[in-house]
């Protein structure tokens, strides 16, 4: 049976781990050919190998999303490998320090903004430039940015991250408005706590994971696959009237 993104060419950043890896795998399971990009070359390659082991089609490439030349090279690689770019998932991100604003180290603030904001901006810009040169494929072109529930409400434990994810939501709505009539849909996913390497600092040693999800209404921890399913669905023609929307995948945390 054909998948919901059958024949699409999908690019995922931060694909070496966590949510990005799960999304790359789901894109492939739903029929896309996938480019897995990450700053850790080996882990991106591992993701591509996992896809190939399941019979899917994938390649991997290095990217540091803060480096404009590397981002351009990533998009060029995708086009050289598969001929075009249909679906992008801008997902690479970092948490930064856990500190209040008064004590937040300046270099750490700069790092969070560079990866989460400038990195997402540079990727989206390079992707849009490429997509605008292409013919409309069925269902058009799609970009999904990984924001966070911290892009919708504040989390005082991680103020720079909160700033950065609010900016990702702003970038998403701005780009959606600019390119909606040119066949590019741009949405964001807003996960709450998802079990990945990034969320480890929120689990104090010996603490039950359940104590980190007290505000959820669904009684289990969020998994990378929960986010992946949403990203791929937003990238499919089933979501063809959805753009400029930050979609929560939070187990009801903000309900
Ligand atoms: N885990 C959560 O609870 C959670 C919640 C909400 C949002 N998010 C967001 O989801 C995204 C993925 O996070 P995750 O939880 O899977 O974390 P993760 O640490 O498992 O994965 C992040 C990936 O991004 C890569 N990366 C980091 N800096 C990069 C750079 N400069 N260039 C290219 N790649 C880079 C890392 O190598 C890693 O593979 C992030 O944007 C994060 O902010 C995570």
């Amino acid at each position: 049976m054909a998948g919901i993104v059958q024949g699409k060419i999908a690019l995922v950043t931060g694909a070496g781990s966590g949510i990005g890896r799960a999304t790359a795998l789901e894109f492939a399971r739903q029929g896309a050919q996938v480019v897995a990009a990450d700053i850790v070359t080996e882990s991106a390659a591992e993701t591509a190998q996992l896809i190939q082991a399941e019979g899917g089609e994938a390649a991997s490439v290095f990217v540091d999303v803060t480096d404009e030349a590397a981002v351009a090279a990533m998009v060029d690689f995708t086009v050289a490998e598969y001929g075009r770019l249909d679906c992008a998932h801008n997902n690479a991100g970092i948490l930064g320090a856990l500190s209040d604003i008064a004590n937040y180290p300046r270099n750490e603030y700069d790092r969070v903004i560079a990866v989460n904001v400038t990195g997402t901006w540079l990727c989206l810009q390079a992707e849009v430039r490429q997509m605008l040169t292409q013919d409309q494929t069925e269902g058009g072109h799609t970009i999904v940015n990984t924001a966070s529930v911290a892009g919708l409400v504040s989390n005082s434990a991680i103020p720079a991250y909160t700033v950065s994810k609010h900016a990702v939501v702003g970038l998403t709505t701005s780009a959606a408005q600019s390119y909606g009539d040119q066949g590019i849909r741009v949405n964001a996913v807003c996960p709450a706590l998802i079990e990945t390497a990034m969320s480890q600092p929120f689990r104090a040693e010996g603490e039950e994971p359940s104590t980190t999800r007290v505000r959820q209404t669904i009684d289990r921890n969020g998994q990378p696959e929960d986010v992946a399913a949403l990203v791929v669905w937003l990238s499919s023609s089933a979501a063809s009237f959805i753009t400029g929307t930050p979609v929560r995948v939070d187990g009801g945390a903000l309900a």
Side-chain angles (χ1 to χ4, degrees):
M1 206 175 72
I4 63 172
V5 286
Q6 196 69 41
K8 300 280 188 188
I9 310 304
L11 168 65
V12 181
T13 70
S17 168
I19 292 168
R21 173 169 285 177
T23 305
L25 279 157
E26 183 61 16
F27 262 122
R29 287 170 188 155
Q30 293 297 335
Q33 292 162 288
V34 177
V35 173
D38 204 285
I39 197 167
V40 183
T41 316
E42 303 72 33
S43 61
E46 212 174 89
T47 299
Q49 284 156 16
L50 288 170
I51 291 171
Q52 289 155 3
E54 292 186 356
E57 173 69 42
S60 64
V61 66
F62 164 85
V63 73
D64 176 353
V65 296
T66 68
D67 176 348
E68 194 170 355
V71 168
M74 169 184 76
V75 172
D76 288 349
F77 173 84
T78 305
V79 175
E81 200 75 10
Y82 294 118
R84 61 179 199 277
L85 171 63
D86 298 315
C87 309
H89 180 206
N90 299 319
N91 167 76
I94 58 172
L95 185 63
L98 274 71
S99 163
D100 70 339
I101 294 173
N103 295 298
Y104 208 91
R106 169 61 197 263
N107 61 344
E108 189 69 352
Y109 171 83
D110 287 344
R111 202 170 69 89
V112 170
I113 299 301
V115 177
N116 296 2
V117 183
T118 311
T120 307
W121 169 281
L122 291 174
C123 290
L124 182 137
Q125 185 178 53
E127 291 151 5
V128 164
R129 284 173 177 162
Q130 172 58 33
M131 288 170 174
L132 290 175
T133 70
Q134 299 176 174
D135 286 343
Q136 289 280 320
T137 51
E138 199 190 335
H141 300 107
T142 61
I143 298 175
V144 178
N145 299 318
T146 301
S148 167
V149 289
L152 302 172
V153 297
S154 67
N155 183 336
S156 58
I158 41 173
Y161 185 84
T162 299
V163 169
S164 76
K165 293 301 187 179
H166 274 68
V168 170
V169 171
L171 173 60
T172 301
T173 52
S174 177
Q177 205 170 34
S178 295
Y179 301 111
D181 61 357
Q182 293 171 81
I184 305 175
R185 293 189 296 107
V186 188
N187 290 293
V189 290
C190 299
L193 200 78
I194 303 294
E195 274 188 13
T196 68
M198 180 179 290
S199 60
Q200 284 302 317
F202 286 107
R203 298 201 197 95
E205 208 173 320
E207 188 185 2
E208 286 299 318
S210 61
T211 61
T212 62
R213 55 178 161 82
V214 282
R215 292 169 63 209
Q216 287 178 211
T217 62
I218 293 176
D219 191 26
R220 67 171 174 81
N221 291 325
Q223 300 299 322
E225 292 73 20
D226 293 315
V227 185
L230 176 60
V231 172
V232 176
W233 182 79
L234 283 170
S235 307
S236 77
S237 57
S240 64
F241 200 53
I242 301 177
T243 195
T245 307
V247 185
R248 291 190 285 119
V249 47
D250 67 351
L254 296 194

